[in-house]
Amino acid sequence: MDDSNNLHKNHRKRMKTRFLKEGMEHFEPHQILELLLFYAIPQRDVNPLAHRLIKHFGSLAGVLEADYEELIRCPGVGENTATLLTMIPCLARAYLMNKEVRYPSFGDMHKLGSYLVNYFIGQTREKLVAILLNNRAEMMDLIVVSEGTVNRTETNFRIIAEHALRRGAASVVLAHNHPEGSVEPSEADLAMTSEYAMLFEKMALPLAEHFIIADNHYTGILHCVSTGKRLGLEGLKQLCLGAPTPLEQANGSEHVPPSSDDGETVAT
């Protein structure tokens, strides 16, 4: 047997044994990528390829979030390898979302925020979704409203309204991600939230929250949850018309009016 092949085989065995004994906590990023590549490229030393990919895409996350077409153009990456790598964020998302089905009720706003963080894992394009809740704050449906660019078009509102009426929803939650940004809402985000809140109010269908998701964190625009920021922006004064949201009612908490720019409570 070729000594180099034997050494290569033993290296793979040692890596797999180490993972089974220790888990992945002490693995370097290129070693984690090596483990994955073992199952796409069975007959070759994949250590150099792992290093090249991480250098090219900047990080392990960059490799896993790369488009199939970008990966396939890299020397040494074939169809099986590109497919496996692009599959990992989807598998992670499916795993985390499946775990969450044990908690179908989202009366606790933070639970819903955490659920949405899991939903947006690995998403590299901006996406707007609507979550329909029943009167027990349980999720009835999650609708992908738009992808690529999030804006407040009439079409987007109509899509949400039609689904909500069809399912008999008691309230709606909006969520969209900032793939390359922060959880700080933009002026456009605030304007969209204000407009949609008023439109849903006319339908007697409260907008319970609008979450911004970025870098595994979330902010609820209506209540500025999770980050502790008090935005105090003028657009917040018009949201929910001063009424407790269904999420607050289900959780038994008191309504907290939005704040002004100087942090003082705004009378509603």
Side-chain angles (χ1 to χ4, degrees):
M1 180 181 291
D2 190 319
D3 288 342
S4 62
N5 287 339
N6 190 47
L7 182 65
H8 171 56
K9 180 178 180 181
N10 289 337
H11 172 67
R12 290 191 174 212
K13 184 176 181 180
R14 286 194 300 270
M15 291 276 283
K16 293 175 183 177
T17 301
R18 179 185 166 192
F19 164 69
L20 292 172
K21 286 183 176 180
E22 302 176 9
M24 213 172 269
E25 290 182 13
H26 303 295
F27 275 63
E28 296 294 326
H30 75 273
Q31 293 173 323
I32 296 173
L33 188 53
E34 265 193 275
L35 279 175
L36 284 173
L37 294 174
F38 288 166
Y39 297 96
I41 306 173
Q43 302 298 327
R44 197 171 81 229
D45 180 8
V46 295
N47 180 277
L49 177 60
H51 280 284
R52 287 200 307 272
L53 287 172
I54 288 178
K55 182 178 180 180
H56 179 77
F57 291 103
S59 65
L60 175 62
V63 176
L64 299 179
E65 292 175 357
D67 291 335
Y68 176 89
E69 291 75 14
E70 291 181 275
L71 288 165
I72 206 74
R73 287 195 294 267
C74 296
V77 176
E79 293 181 1
N80 287 344
T81 302
T83 301
L84 175 66
L85 294 176
T86 54
M87 193 186 300
I88 299 304
C90 299
L91 287 172
R93 187 162 56 250
Y95 165 68
L96 291 169
M97 298 298 288
N98 188 257
K99 284 185 67 176
E100 292 289 352
V101 300
R102 293 176 297 171
Y103 309 104
S105 177
F106 293 114
D108 183 339
M109 192 163 23
H110 294 281
K111 188 183 292 183
L112 180 51
S114 298
Y115 176 88
L116 288 165
V117 166
N118 290 339
Y119 174 81
F120 282 105
I121 282 178
Q123 299 282 359
T124 57
R125 301 177 65 201
E126 203 164 345
K127 177 188 286 189
L128 172 66
V129 301
I131 298 93
L132 306 183
L133 302 175
N134 64 18
N135 56 14
R136 295 184 299 276
E138 297 168 342
M139 186 171 71
M140 305 168 66
D141 205 353
L142 186 151
I143 305 150
V144 176
V145 182
S146 65
E147 292 188 77
T149 302
V150 171
N151 52 45
R152 55 186 196 277
T153 67
E154 182 181 340
T155 301
N156 287 350
F157 177 76
R158 188 168 63 248
I159 290 171
I160 302 168
E162 288 176 354
H163 278 83
L165 291 172
R166 189 182 309 124
R167 296 299 303 273
S171 61
V172 175
V173 171
L174 299 178
H176 79 271
N177 59 327
H178 289 172
E180 303 297 334
S182 72
V183 289
E184 180 76 22
S186 67
E187 290 292 343
D189 294 334
L190 294 170
M192 178 173 72
T193 307
S194 180
E195 181 177 337
Y196 278 25
M198 289 185 285
L199 289 171
F200 281 120
E201 186 70 23
K202 291 177 182 178
M203 297 173 58
L205 182 66
L207 177 63
E209 187 54 278
H210 182 183
F211 285 97
I212 308 295
I213 313 294
D215 193 26
N216 296 325
H217 299 287
Y218 65 89
T219 289
I221 289 181
L222 300 190
H223 296 82
C224 309
V225 297
S226 180
T227 61
K229 295 175 182 175
R230 297 178 63 82
L231 298 176
L233 297 171
E234 188 66 20
L236 292 176
K237 297 177 183 178
Q238 301 178 23
L239 301 178
C240 285
L241 305 179
T245 68
L247 286 176
E248 290 175 320
Q249 293 170 351
N251 202 34
S253 61
E254 295 182 0
H255 173 62
V256 179
S259 61
S260 66
D261 291 336
D262 60 6
E264 295 296 322
T265 300
V266 175
T268 54

